Amino acid sequence: MLHGLRNGSHRRRRGAMMRSVGTLTRADLAETINRKLGFSRAESLDLVESILDKMSDALASGENVKISGFGSFVLRDKNERIGRNPKTGIEVPITPRRVMTFRASQLLKERIAKGD
């Protein structure tokens, strides 16, 4: 929940101080593949795109995506419910929908807590 924070800026959210030092991009992932595995820049970017496409396709078709040691992208169907317009107080139906959440693995949670 870093909400666009970049370059060491700070913002209070839910009572806790949150901080981010930047954003990891597709290009950054491709650069790491290029450096560590020796693929060309184009091949590295194609590999990143292929992985993201596979993940997107699985989620779009209703499958959850689990990456061991990292976390799971989990789909959840929400039923229709009644909400309330906070300005007017008028009740409004909220349509059923599918949402995606991310659940970090225990390993990732521990690594984040340590600051590795």
Side-chain angles (χ1 to χ4, degrees), residues 39-109:
F39 293 153
S40 73
R41 292 190 193 283
E43 288 172 324
S44 298
L45 194 52
D46 283 347
L47 184 58
V48 169
E49 292 298 330
S50 293
I51 292 167
L52 294 175
D53 285 345
K54 180 71 173 171
M55 291 172 64
S56 297
D57 291 347
L59 290 163
S61 68
E63 294 178 69
N64 293 328
V65 174
K66 181 178 181 178
I67 302 171
S68 183
F70 183 73
S72 299
F73 296 89
V74 180
L75 297 172
R76 199 173 109 217
D77 291 318
K78 290 190 158 191
N79 294 325
E80 182 173 347
R81 61 188 174 92
I82 299 295
R84 191 178 302 275
N85 181 329
K87 230 177 192 178
T88 64
I90 297 172
E91 289 186 350
V92 184
I94 299 173
T95 58
R97 65 199 183 282
R98 176 172 281 168
V99 296
M100 182 195 69
T101 60
F102 176 75
R103 292 188 190 149
S105 73
Q106 192 58 43
L107 250 139
L108 181 58
K109 287 178 185 179

